[in-house]
Amino acid sequence: TVEETMNNCVESENFTDGIYFIERLLEIFPYNSDYWYKKGVLLNIDCEFEKAIECFNKAISLNPGDVEIYLDKSMSEEGLELCDEAVKSLEMVLKLDPANDEAYYNLGMMAFRENNFIRAKECFLKTINLNNEFNEVYFDLASCSEALNEYEDAIEFIDMYLETYPYNENAWYN
């Protein structure tokens, strides 16, 4: 019952109650990587990034092959503006799972925020090649193409985006 309640807290982003329940579970099962991971997720929701990283590191020490831990750890690192560390975490995801579209997408977003549009576009193209249902990425590809003065490509990507999101006013504006 405690685990089910804690999982509901994670899903509903009720971090206060979730932390309470996860700490009770960790008192009983201190070597459960999933519980350390979920505590990190709850701390991320509360923007307690340093504490979240500690939990993710504990989870990784118990289960070093879980890509989800590295993905969420990278969000904490990015929240603390530790971009190099976030990139390393995402690269670890790709080392463990070379076809992880979420890792490529997150790397693309980081490159985009750093105005590295060529790298961002490469990552976004890998994302869509790995997951052709990740249609949101077309908007990001259009933004990269526009920043690179590749206007015809930008229009094509916007058209592809509009196939899935035909009522998106930002896409029509662009």
Side-chain angles (χ1 to χ4, degrees), residues 66-100:
D66 189 334
V67 296
E68 293 299 318
I69 301 170
Y70 292 100
L71 283 168
D72 283 298
K73 182 180 179 211
S74 74
M75 287 186 257
S76 297
E77 292 163 338
E78 195 173 358
L80 292 171
E81 298 181 14
L82 301 172
C83 294
D84 291 340
E85 296 302 316
V87 167
K88 287 178 187 174
S89 291
L90 292 170
E91 287 172 347
M92 180 57 80
V93 170
L94 294 173
K95 181 178 177 184
L96 296 169
D97 179 11
N100 190 294

Side-chain angles (χ1 to χ4, degrees), residues 99-114:
N100 190 294
D101 59 312
E102 190 175 347
Y104 278 114
Y105 181 76
N106 292 347
L107 284 169
M109 290 304 297
M110 292 180 67
F112 187 86
R113 285 190 283 278
E114 294 174 356

Side-chain angles (χ1 to χ4, degrees), residues 121 124-125 128 135-146 148 150-165 171:
K121 189 174 179 181
F124 293 146
L125 287 170
I128 200 68
N135 296 321
E136 300 87 22
V137 79
Y138 287 121
F139 197 89
D140 300 311
L141 282 163
S143 298
C144 289
S145 296
E146 181 181 6
L148 295 168
E150 299 169 352
Y151 301 114
E152 288 180 25
D153 285 349
I155 290 170
E156 284 182 42
F157 288 128
I158 287 291
D159 286 341
M160 295 165 115
Y161 180 82
L162 286 168
E163 287 177 19
T164 305
Y165 306 100

